[in-house]
Amino acid sequence: MGKAELGQVLKNWDREVSSVPHTQGEANPYATARHRKTPAKPITDSLKGAPKPKSGCRILYHGMGKDTPGLKRLQKRCTTVGYDKYAPDAALKKKPSGQFDEVYSVFTLNTIPKAEAKQVVRELHDRLKPGGRAVIATRSDVCTLAGVSLKPK
């Protein structure tokens, strides 16, 4: 989705976004932060047939968790910044600055409270360059916008 569509998600957030009650720790049945051997599927799916990026492009992987293979795959495409405020690695906790050609949030919004998820989408919107591309994926049974899963097309 583009910056305008991301703006519409924010505009309609309180009326159209639904999510299951959030719980923390081991009680959260939707936890998706896990070590992966390969990039998360929404990343590989979103890159299939994606136009070749321009030289000097920048990507933000927001809330990357433990998806190091996903970060490495995106780094093959462009200069990529991984960010996760809950990461044990201090380098990943540093809030990104500037704007990005592409922003990614994969299996993050369904693991945090709805109010915090809205803040994440606002950060993605603010960091996305006009004409850029946002890829947001959640578990469709956990977080939806107007009945449609927030998944890449």
Side-chain angles (χ1 to χ4, degrees):
M1 76 178 66
K3 190 169 179 94
E5 292 145 320
L6 206 52
Q8 285 300 311
V9 168
L10 287 167
K11 180 179 177 186
N12 299 319
W13 187 270
D14 294 326
R15 186 178 65 239
E16 297 183 5
V17 172
S18 66
S19 60
V20 298
H22 174 75
T23 58
Q24 295 185 354
E26 292 182 22
N28 184 349
Y30 304 110
T32 57
R34 63 184 81 174
H35 291 284
R36 300 177 185 277
K37 293 181 181 178
T38 59
K41 189 167 179 359
I43 289 177
T44 56
D45 286 353
S46 72
L47 295 177
K48 289 178 186 170
K52 185 175 178 172
K54 62 185 179 205
S55 175
C57 69
R58 294 180 71 214
I59 293 176
L60 170 61
Y61 190 176
H62 193 289
M64 64 169 274
K66 299 174 184 174
D67 188 14
T68 303
L71 181 69
K72 288 179 180 177
R73 174 58 184 92
L74 293 171
Q75 287 171 335
K76 290 180 181 179
R77 185 168 173 78
C78 296
T79 300
T80 304
V81 174
Y83 170 69
D84 193 323
K85 75 178 191 177
Y86 298 109
D89 181 351
L92 291 176
K93 287 183 178 184
K94 185 177 179 204
K95 201 155 197 151
S97 62
Q99 289 195 305
F100 296 83
D101 300 280
E102 296 178 8
V103 295
Y104 289 76
S105 177
V106 178
F107 303 137
T108 301
L109 300 181
N110 53 273
T111 64
I112 57 179
K114 186 177 176 181
E116 187 176 349
K118 184 177 182 180
Q119 291 173 337
V120 168
V121 174
R122 182 162 313 284
E123 286 177 25
L124 294 172
H125 178 269
D126 292 348
R127 296 282 166 242
L128 186 62
K129 288 181 180 179
R133 181 171 86 117
V135 176
I136 300 173
T138 68
R139 284 191 38 173
S140 59
D141 60 335
V142 178
C143 184
T144 60
L145 172 68
V148 178
S149 171
L150 296 171
K151 291 186 176 183
K153 294 179 181 178

